[in-house]
Amino acid sequence: NEQVDVSGNLALLPRYTQINLGYARSGSTYQSYNGQPRGGIALHQRGVTFSPYTVQDTFGIVSVGDVAGVKVITPNGPVWTDRWGKAVVSQFPAYKTGRIEVATKTLPRNVDLANGLKMIEAGRGSVNAVDFQVIKVRRALLLATDPQGQPMTRGASVIRADNSFVTAVGSNGQIFLSNNQLGEKLRVALSDTTLCELKFTLP
């Protein structure tokens, strides 16, 4: 009879802890399974935050507004913000510059950052607050047509009630608007004498 020995280990990095899983088999009589979670918890002025890494003596709390699930690259590896928009930077290099960067592709489409990169110089034993200022925006892409149902002319000006310029019509009548523009009374200048009121409703 041939005896088959099998063993394997799997390391996983879910968002808020690390998990090591193992399996071993020797022949047909012996099997074993093992699992070990690892990570840390930071208690700070802003609350309690979990970390997939062990929290060291020089660490920080990063905040990306109140946006959950955002990936942040830290000196000790990637972390993700919790439901309150916070994550633990488990270790900063003491007396050296540590780079903290938001992976902007993980931001929701309606969120922009003023700056997605911070360079932090931490003293040993310090707790550092790293705040990224978020800007929540609302955007709309309109497909505007004239009274005859034809796309608005490319390059036509979109103007406010005081005749100030907002944007230009793109190809196929596309008009891109954001934030306060969506609540303004806007018109499209098809010529010097022809103005069309831009009417739309938002979901």
Side-chain angles (χ1 to χ4, degrees):
N1 290 339
E2 292 185 4
Q3 182 170 309
V4 179
D5 293 339
V6 178
S7 66
N9 287 286
L10 178 65
L12 301 174
L13 180 63
R15 293 188 172 183
Y16 309 112
T17 187
Q18 290 185 68
I19 300 174
N20 292 317
L21 302 174
Y23 170 77
R25 187 181 78 184
S26 179
S28 60
T29 58
Y30 173 78
Q31 290 189 92
S32 73
Y33 302 86
N34 64 74
Q36 180 184 20
R38 291 190 304 160
I41 301 173
L43 179 63
H44 50 92
Q45 289 181 338
R46 302 176 177 188
V48 176
T49 308
F50 292 88
S51 168
Y53 312 107
T54 303
V55 180
Q56 305 297 322
D57 64 341
T58 306
F59 70 98
I61 304 298
V62 62
S63 174
V64 185
D66 59 356
V67 185
V70 178
K71 184 179 181 180
V72 182
I73 310 302
T74 78
N76 205 34
V79 294
W80 288 263
T81 56
D82 61 16
R83 60 186 296 187
W84 298 280
K86 295 180 175 42
V88 179
V89 182
S90 61
Q91 181 177 16
F92 276 109
Y95 307 114
K96 295 180 182 177
T97 301
R99 179 186 176 105
I100 309 295
E101 184 174 4
V102 174
T104 54
K105 288 184 179 180
T106 63
L107 290 168
R109 287 188 298 175
N110 68 328
V111 173
D112 284 338
L113 288 179
N115 182 4
L117 174 67
K118 302 267 186 177
M119 306 299 282
I120 306 296
E121 195 167 308
R124 184 172 299 281
S126 62
V127 179
N128 302 269
V130 184
D131 295 327
F132 289 94
Q133 182 183 356
V134 300
I135 304 163
K136 293 191 177 179
V137 297
R138 189 169 194 194
R139 301 181 177 102
L141 180 63
L142 309 179
L143 299 176
T145 57
D146 63 20
Q148 288 73 44
Q150 297 300 310
M152 289 285 185
T153 306
R154 180 185 174 98
S157 296
V158 179
I159 58 175
R160 297 183 176 91
D162 63 0
N163 294 328
S164 62
F165 178 80
V166 176
T167 188
V169 178
S171 59
N172 300 317
Q174 292 182 342
I175 300 174
F176 183 76
L177 300 174
S178 64
N179 289 352
N180 295 337
Q181 296 168 351
L182 297 170
E184 296 185 79
K185 186 174 181 180
L186 302 174
R187 297 176 293 172
V188 179
L190 298 179
S191 68
D192 291 340
T193 57
T194 306
L195 298 175
C196 287
E197 186 178 346
L198 190 60
K199 292 185 177 180
F200 58 92
T201 57
L202 296 173

